[in-house]
Amino acid sequence: GAVVSQHPSRVICKSGTSVKIECRSLDFQATTMFWYRQFPKKSLMLMATSNEGSKATYEQGVEKDKFLINHASLTLSTLTVTSAHPEDSSFYICSARGGLAGDTQYFGPGTRLTVL
Amino acid sequence: GENVEQHPSTLSVQEGDSAVIKCTYSDSASNYFPWYKQELGKGPQLIIDIRSNVGEKKDQRIAVTLNKTAKHFSLHITETQPEDSAVYFCAASSSNYKLTFGKGTLLTVNP
């Protein structure tokens, strides 16, 4: 099956710093990648949709200047949390679809961000 | 926009019993319905999906049924095993590929 990786799996940073999370599709070309946020014991909340070579489309209430998304290639998307604050602490998960994966969304393993 | 309701929020069964999780959706344009299993600290894993042109799909111990008229779909797990214990999410999607998730069901299979 299609494999999506994320890096890092866990990151701890100080308040005010920026953190970059990478999402890669390992065995297919991802036309579209999605970024989600998940709070403990809660469902997944879609933050933004990114298509390769295009600007990301953000969901209502998600600050685009806070959460910078880049989808520069068909196998890589990055999420940068700028000027992180403790309330940004969360589990961030990406998913990818397209190419040989078709319409099915395959999820990465997630990144646990803790902002001190 | 789409709204997906999922029930129950928790489900506890004995090993070997069956488990059923139900979801309803609101947008009649939705045509793709995946189910994901999420273990603690991990990303969701696709376990089965169904498209609107099919009423039922089965993969070994897992089956999904879809009733388009009533706008509901269900996950059925037979012969449950302790390793089936996890949170299960249903989702719905239309042509824009965006998934709307249910709130999840914590399934516990007791040995």
Side-chain angles (χ1 to χ4, degrees), chain A residues 38 43 59 103-105 108-109, chain B residues 36 38 43-44 46 97-98 101-102:
Chain A
Q38 187 177 35
S43 188
E59 295 299 299
D103 293 343
T104 302
Q105 278 191 40
Chain B
Y36 290 89
Q38 187 178 29
L46 179 73
Y97 307 121
K98 287 169 60 173
F101 283 87

Side-chain angles (χ1 to χ4, degrees), chain A residues 34 36 38 42-44 46 59 91 93 97 103-105 107-109, chain B residues 32 36 38 41-44 46 49 51 89 97-99 101-103:
Chain A
F34 303 85
Y36 295 83
Q38 187 177 35
K42 297 294 184 182
S43 188
L44 288 81
L46 179 65
E59 295 299 299
F91 194 50
I93 315 173
R97 62 155 295 277
D103 293 343
T104 302
Q105 278 191 40
F107 283 80
Chain B
Y32 175 62
Y36 290 89
Q38 187 178 29
K42 297 183 179 181
L46 179 73
D49 56 9
R51 299 190 183 276
F89 291 99
Y97 307 121
K98 287 169 60 173
L99 292 175
F101 283 87
K103 292 188 175 181

Side-chain angles (χ1 to χ4, degrees), chain A residues 11-19 66 81-89 113-116:
Chain A
V11 58
I12 301 173
C13 69
K14 293 182 179 181
S15 186
T17 61
S18 294
V19 174
K66 173 79 171 172
V81 183
T82 62
S83 187
H85 291 283
E87 57 265 32
D88 298 324
S89 298
L113 171 63
T114 302
V115 185
L116 302 177

